[in-house]
Amino acid sequence: MAVPTFLRASAHPLRWRLLGELARGDRQVGELTELLGERQSLVSYHLGLLRKAELVRSRRSAADARDVYYRLDLARCATLLEAAGGALHPGLRPGPAPAPGPARVLFLCTGNSARSQMAEALLRDRSGGAVAAFSAGSRPKPIHPDAVAAMAARGLDLSAARPKHLDEFAGRRFTHVITLCDRVREVCPEFPGHPAAAHWSMPDPSAEPDGRPAFDRAADELAERIAFLLHTLAAA
């Protein structure tokens, strides 16, 4: 993946300082040299690179044509920054997440008693049911009551959820398989069709000493991750 233009152009301490000064107003090269405490030849060289990237523009002074003013093209910076964010992750583009296309997402953790169940419920809810969400575990155990309470506080009902072994989904096709704990990642089986695989390394809230708050933290982290996942699913 090519490095976006804005990052290539600005990823130098002196160029970043030049951009910062020019963001405040137009400057002559002599002024920039004094402000930055650098040699004029060095400042001119880096200004040239910023001009080549079309982040900085220049014009002759109307008072004295021997003088040149440099200005920052803030509108182009905004466009390139948006493109840089979108190149890293579609969720960094401005605006709400577009509607996701057809997707089948399987969340896995060891017990299928908290993290994966919460993720399944959150994705189904946040996608408005457009995404088929499932969950399972390598060693299933009953749904933890604090997971049910944490979801109830967010308007989601897990009281009827049942734990499922990942073998129940053997041979079924998914577009994405997401492991939520480090142990299940080590034993995650292959699924038909080579679904996109991702790992979210999250601690088991039932192993945390503070009880219910750990489940709320897990729910908050999952909600944040799923908000970005929706952008990924829409882009796919």
Side-chain angles (χ1 to χ4, degrees):
M1 181 173 63
V3 178
T5 299
F6 184 86
L7 297 183
R8 281 190 285 107
S10 63
H12 185 282
L14 181 53
R15 291 199 293 276
W16 184 251
R17 291 170 65 197
L18 283 168
L19 292 173
E21 291 297 338
L22 292 173
R24 298 181 180 92
D26 301 354
R27 294 287 192 179
Q28 297 175 7
V29 69
E31 294 174 315
L32 291 167
T33 298
E34 184 176 345
L35 286 166
L36 273 59
E38 299 286 354
R39 302 189 315 276
Q40 182 169 326
S41 59
L42 187 62
V43 170
S44 295
Y45 169 75
H46 286 287
L47 277 173
L49 294 177
L50 293 172
R51 290 179 66 196
K52 185 176 181 180
E54 298 182 353
L55 296 181
V56 169
R57 304 186 185 278
S58 64
R59 69 168 182 83
R60 293 282 176 184
S61 169
D64 187 338
R66 293 171 298 178
D67 293 331
V68 175
Y69 280 97
Y70 294 90
R71 74 173 182 89
L72 181 62
D73 190 336
L74 287 169
R76 177 163 167 79
C77 285
T79 299
L80 292 177
L81 278 169
E82 179 182 326
L88 183 63
H89 191 285
L92 295 178
R93 298 187 183 111
R104 292 172 56 82
V105 180
L106 175 64
F107 294 101
L108 299 175
C109 67
T110 301
N112 193 218
S113 61
R115 290 163 290 184
S116 55
Q117 293 280 4
M118 291 192 289
E120 175 187 353
L122 283 164
L123 179 56
R124 187 178 295 117
D125 176 71
R126 299 298 191 265
S127 70
V131 176
F134 307 87
S135 69
S138 57
R139 300 175 63 184
K141 56 186 178 181
I143 308 299
H144 198 290
D146 282 338
V148 176
M151 287 291 97
R154 290 157 177 80
L156 300 176
D157 185 6
L158 274 189
S159 61
R162 67 177 182 87
K164 302 167 290 294
H165 195 281
L166 59 85
D167 287 349
E168 187 173 323
F169 297 95
R172 295 175 64 175
R173 288 182 175 267
F174 299 94
T175 58
H176 295 71
V177 174
I178 300 174
T179 51
L180 302 177
C181 77
D182 302 333
R183 288 188 179 89
V184 82
R185 186 188 190 196
E186 301 301 320
V187 299
C188 183
E190 294 288 334
F191 288 89
H194 304 290
H199 180 56
W200 299 351
S201 182
M202 296 181 59
D204 181 358
S206 65
E208 298 293 310
D210 54 345
R212 166 66 190 280
F215 289 81
D216 287 323
R217 289 194 299 271
D220 289 341
E221 180 176 343
L222 285 167
E224 179 181 296
R225 286 180 178 268
I226 284 167
F228 283 100
L229 175 64
L230 286 170
H231 285 270
T232 300
L233 297 177

